[in-house]
Amino acid sequence: MNDIITLNHGSGGKITHDLISGLFLKHFKNEKLNNLSDATVIEISSGQISFTTDGYVVEPIFFPGGNIGKLAVCGTVNDLAVSGAIPKYLSVSFIIEEGLSLKELEEIVKSMAAEAKFAGVEIVTGDTKVVNKGKCDKLFITTSGIGFIKKEFADIGIGSKVRNGDKIILNGTLGDHSIAILSSRESLKFETSIQSDCASLNHLIQKALDICPDISFMRDATRGGLGTVACELASKINLGIYLNEETIPVKESVQGICELFGFDPLFLANEGKLMMVVPPEKSDKILKILQSDKYGKEAAIIGEVTNENKSKVVINTISGGKRLLDMPAGAQLPRIC
Amino acid sequence: MNDIITLNHGSGGKITHDLISGLFLKHFKNEKLNNLSDATVIEISSGQISFTTDGYVVEPIFFPGGNIGKLAVCGTVNDLAVSGAIPKYLSVSFIIEEGLSLKELEEIVKSMAAEAKFAGVEIVTGDTKVVNKGKCDKLFITTSGIGFIKKEFADIGIGSKVRNGDKIILNGTLGDHSIAILSSRESLKFETSIQSDCASLNHLIQKALDICPDISFMRDATRGGLGTVACELASKINLGIYLNEETIPVKESVQGICELFGFDPLFLANEGKLMMVVPPEKSDKILKILQSDKYGKEAAIIGEVTNENKSKVVINTISGGKRLLDMPAGAQLPRIC
């Protein structure tokens, strides 16, 4: 019975303490977490911070290219980074189903620690709850994050700096994460070499901000995909967004599966992709710096901001037509993040 | 079908947006949340912040004296307040089971908004996920919080300021929350007038800090109860803790149910109780100020810090004996928070 999570692991008693020190502290080890108080005190040198939260309920919890833990760290790191912040501190809340194997939990915790190390963030506070078998689906994780943000970047996630003529850049292929998840579902398993693109993009973003501090807008294209990010941005600005489908990178294998299932890659979730809106005179320079990074090799300019079709997204399709892009009502795929 | 949560509410598409603006924004309304970017930018005037997170999986989600939403706000406010911070900003992550009624969700959201208003905090960022029916239990909430903390209070949650002779104060009766939850469980319903003590204690704590900035230690006695807080503190300091059972307030009705079920009120969860360790010369003054507050009427001095029994908790029982208090291995009651 020692190799699975029991309700007692969430009791707050000795068994909880053993789990915290034997597993979480062991891998997340840092001075702040070691205090084990319910709140962690953090020194703030800059005058502004960025604050974010996300729940992760991906099914299955292990998938090609990652697991729910890596996903949670990357997702929160990316939410901070696209807001213009330097991600610094994460909190982690685990909701665990009774019966989860400790081995699986440790593998997840290890990959969270590794991803946090890569991203340069510390996991400084956390919580663990256990619910009875059948009352959650193995493991849900909610991560919150704090980053330091310079005053000049405070509007980068909002869209108020977007101007007519700005170029739209995407850092790589769409849909990989969704298709990787789909391929690993019990009910539907199929053979594919597609891996989730799950990655912390903060170092990539930092490189771009270093050479071009006047990036107009950034947003990671997660749930809802690139299409939703574009539609949301358009709805907030008094300008139009034009996308050129031909230039949008999609893997052939992903495109094939999308055709089979009737998915539109524009609206599939990604976990390592972001849309950047940049002043036109800087676009080539930014493109080059993105392409020089592991997570931006296939970066491309995929469209621009226009004075036409205000608050709308128009896409020039590969077949030669034009269509208005509209946010879908519901999901193509539930529980992909 | 419009009156229940569906998977589409968690899709990130239009239906998600309608839920966010029609429900969450409507009740949580504030300038920061209205931006609807994935991260919120916050101005920090002080040099230190306190950061905390907690997941809530209480079952049932409505109980006498509160619901899961009120509990989540109070819990995070209290974790910040006992760390010596002034709670300021909260994030909220909802994981919702398909089929939850929108009416119930709105009632929960409303009470979160009301409690946030009372506590003086803003809910500035959030996330919503929906999982298939049977994959979670109605609703799980994870709240994270940020508070501003003065340098002189930074150690108040750690225990390093505790000295021999310090008095131990409790702000009211033990076990009310656990027994209220127990009484409302489907499998076990019984008639009782006991209400959860679920409350935001930050204003009470502020009053105490105002008259006595040199409080040695504070911790809210939630999961694991007062007994666990005392044992944890004792294990961290090279001093003993002595508790006098006779002085520990427990409602007669709670005591009766505890005897029936074999529970020890010392280890039952509370959601509006905290243990304070204070310099002896200030204890009467602090006791008075606590007793003058709605949430401290039954506050009492329940013990003291001693040079004997180092790193241990000794309790003088009502029956006249002495016993060593030990942290229980597991839980008396699962899913009480």
Side-chain angles (χ1 to χ4, degrees):
Chain A
M1 282 300 281
N2 275 336
D3 52 354
I4 62 164
I5 291 285
T6 66
L7 286 175
N8 282 331
H9 284 106
S11 68
K14 262 186 212 150
I15 298 178
T16 306
H17 280 252
D18 291 349
L19 181 70
I20 290 172
S21 33
L23 183 59
F24 301 132
L25 278 189
K26 180 176 148 196
H27 294 293
F28 296 155
K29 210 175 183 87
N30 62 65
E31 211 182 297
K32 291 187 176 64
L33 191 62
N34 292 353
N35 268 331
L36 283 189
S37 81
D38 282 334
T40 289
V41 175
I42 294 169
E43 285 287 339
I44 302 289
S45 49
S46 108
Q48 284 191 316
I49 60 168
S50 189
F51 182 33
T52 188
T53 195
D54 256 326
Y56 294 86
V57 298
V58 65
E59 189 275 314
I61 55 174
F62 291 92
F63 49 81
N67 61 51
I68 188 171
K70 182 182 177 189
L71 192 66
V73 172
C74 293
T76 294
V77 162
N78 291 344
D79 278 346
L80 291 171
V82 297
S83 81
I86 297 171
K88 295 297 271 184
Y89 302 109
L90 261 52
S91 70
V92 181
S93 157
F94 295 97
I95 297 176
I96 311 175
E97 185 185 14
E98 184 187 13
L100 180 72
S101 86
L102 271 167
K103 206 182 141 210
E104 284 188 310
L105 183 60
E106 180 153 26
E107 197 175 330
I108 288 163
V109 167
K110 268 185 185 169
S111 66
M112 296 181 83
E115 192 61 31
K117 197 176 170 191
F118 170 79
V121 298
E122 282 184 320
I123 293 168
V124 293
T125 188
D127 185 48
T128 308
K129 294 283 166 12
V130 180
V131 297
N132 318 61
K133 193 141 187 78
K135 296 298 181 186
C136 92
D137 197 4
K138 289 188 175 164
L139 179 62
F140 300 151
I141 299 179
T142 295
T143 38
S144 301
I146 290 177
F148 296 162
I149 183 166
K150 288 187 193 164
K151 228 181 176 92
E152 69 247 48
F153 296 148
D155 295 329
I156 221 162
I158 292 171
S160 54
K161 291 160 78 180
V162 174
R163 298 284 171 267
N164 176 36
D166 277 358
K167 298 289 181 191
I168 296 168
I169 298 181
L170 176 68
N171 66 316
T173 56
L174 291 186
D176 303 10
H177 176 71
S178 285
I179 301 303
I181 296 293
L182 189 71
S183 74
S184 55
R185 291 246 163 109
E186 265 313 319
S187 52
L188 199 89
K189 270 190 180 163
F190 56 86
E191 280 298 320
T192 167
S193 58
I194 300 161
Q195 302 260 318
S196 165
D197 59 349
C198 177
S200 294
L201 300 176
N202 56 322
H203 301 310
L204 173 85
I205 289 170
Q206 199 51 54
K207 284 184 198 169
L209 281 174
D210 283 348
I211 61 154
C212 177
D214 48 350
I215 290 174
S216 310
F217 176 80
M218 288 190 284
R219 179 73 56 91
D220 48 341
T222 55
R223 181 172 60 169
L226 178 79
T228 299
V229 173
C231 289
E232 279 182 2
L233 177 62
S235 75
K236 280 202 208 175
I237 56 179
N238 194 24
L239 294 162
I241 288 178
Y242 162 81
L243 297 178
N244 186 3
E245 193 171 18
E246 212 168 21
T247 58
I248 297 176
V250 179
K251 284 194 176 78
E252 248 180 72
S253 51
V254 169
Q255 188 64 52
I257 293 165
C258 280
E259 279 163 20
L260 200 67
F261 284 92
F263 294 146
D264 183 347
L266 280 172
F267 290 99
L268 285 181
N270 314 279
E271 292 293 342
K273 296 293 145 41
L274 86 159
M275 181 175 113
M276 265 186 192
V277 183
V278 306
E281 67 279 9
K282 301 283 181 70
S283 59
D284 285 336
K285 216 171 154 188
I286 290 180
L287 193 64
K288 273 210 190 83
I289 197 97
L290 294 182
Q291 286 169 341
S292 73
D293 188 279
K294 183 180 171 186
Y295 297 130
K297 275 183 194 151
E298 291 164 290
I301 295 175
I302 60 160
E304 62 182 63
V305 177
T306 68
N307 254 327
E308 290 163 14
N309 303 303
K310 287 185 176 170
S311 301
K312 292 195 165 42
V313 181
V314 171
I315 185 161
N316 215 356
T317 62
I318 292 174
S319 51
K322 269 196 166 80
R323 72 179 169 106
L324 209 62
L325 211 64
D326 202 9
M327 226 189 279
Q332 298 195 95
L333 273 174
R335 296 188 59 194
I336 33 68
C337 61
Chain B
M1 285 301 284
N2 274 335
D3 53 354
I4 61 163
I5 291 287
T6 66
L7 286 175
N8 282 330
H9 283 106
S11 68
K14 261 186 212 150
I15 299 178
T16 306
H17 280 251
D18 292 349
L19 180 71
I20 290 172
S21 34
L23 182 59
F24 300 132
L25 278 189
K26 181 176 148 197
H27 294 293
F28 295 154
K29 212 175 181 85
N30 62 65
E31 213 181 293
K32 292 187 176 63
L33 191 62
N34 292 353
N35 269 331
L36 282 189
S37 78
D38 282 332
T40 290
V41 176
I42 294 168
E43 286 286 339
I44 302 289
S45 49
S46 109
Q48 285 192 314
I49 60 169
S50 189
F51 181 34
T52 187
T53 194
D54 256 327
Y56 293 87
V57 298
V58 64
E59 189 273 316
I61 56 174
F62 291 93
F63 48 81
N67 62 51
I68 188 171
K70 182 182 176 189
L71 191 66
V73 172
C74 293
T76 294
V77 162
N78 291 345
D79 278 345
L80 291 172
V82 296
S83 80
I86 297 171
K88 294 299 270 185
Y89 302 108
L90 260 51
S91 69
V92 182
S93 158
F94 295 98
I95 297 176
I96 311 174
E97 185 185 15
E98 184 187 14
L100 181 73
S101 89
L102 270 167
K103 207 181 139 211
E104 284 188 310
L105 183 59
E106 180 153 27
E107 198 176 327
I108 288 164
V109 167
K110 267 186 186 170
S111 66
M112 294 181 85
E115 192 62 30
K117 196 176 170 190
F118 169 79
V121 298
E122 283 184 320
I123 293 167
V124 294
T125 189
D127 184 49
T128 309
K129 294 284 167 13
V130 180
V131 296
N132 318 62
K133 196 144 183 71
K135 296 298 181 186
C136 89
D137 197 5
K138 289 189 174 164
L139 179 61
F140 299 150
I141 299 178
T142 296
T143 39
S144 302
I146 290 175
F148 297 161
I149 183 167
K150 289 188 193 162
K151 225 176 179 94
E152 68 246 50
F153 297 148
D155 294 329
I156 222 162
I158 293 172
S160 53
K161 291 161 77 179
V162 174
R163 298 284 171 269
N164 177 35
D166 277 357
K167 296 289 180 189
I168 296 169
I169 298 180
L170 176 67
N171 67 316
T173 57
L174 291 186
D176 302 13
H177 176 72
S178 284
I179 301 303
I181 296 292
L182 189 72
S183 75
S184 55
R185 291 248 163 107
E186 266 312 321
S187 53
L188 200 90
K189 268 189 182 165
F190 56 86
E191 281 297 320
T192 167
S193 59
I194 300 162
Q195 303 259 318
S196 165
D197 59 349
C198 176
S200 294
L201 300 177
N202 56 323
H203 301 310
L204 173 85
I205 289 169
Q206 198 52 55
K207 283 183 199 170
L209 282 174
D210 283 348
I211 62 153
C212 177
D214 48 351
I215 290 175
S216 311
F217 175 79
M218 288 190 285
R219 179 73 56 91
D220 49 342
T222 55
R223 179 172 63 168
L226 177 79
T228 299
V229 173
C231 288
E232 279 182 2
L233 178 61
S235 75
K236 278 203 209 175
I237 56 179
N238 194 24
L239 293 162
I241 289 179
Y242 162 79
L243 297 177
N244 186 3
E245 193 171 18
E246 212 168 22
T247 59
I248 297 175
V250 179
K251 284 194 178 78
E252 246 180 75
S253 51
V254 169
Q255 189 64 53
I257 294 165
C258 281
E259 280 164 20
L260 201 65
F261 284 92
F263 294 146
D264 182 347
L266 279 173
F267 290 100
L268 285 181
N270 314 278
E271 292 293 341
K273 295 294 146 39
L274 85 160
M275 181 175 114
M276 265 185 191
V277 182
V278 306
E281 67 279 10
K282 302 283 182 69
S283 59
D284 285 336
K285 216 171 154 189
I286 290 180
L287 193 64
K288 274 209 189 82
I289 198 100
L290 294 181
Q291 286 169 341
S292 73
D293 188 280
K294 185 180 170 186
Y295 298 130
K297 273 180 197 154
E298 291 164 290
I301 296 175
I302 60 162
E304 62 182 63
V305 177
T306 67
N307 255 328
E308 288 163 15
N309 303 303
K310 286 185 177 168
S311 301
K312 294 196 164 41
V313 180
V314 171
I315 186 161
N316 214 356
T317 63
I318 293 173
S319 51
K322 270 197 167 80
R323 71 177 169 108
L324 210 62
L325 213 63
D326 202 11
M327 226 189 277
Q332 298 194 92
L333 272 173
R335 294 186 61 191
I336 32 71
C337 63

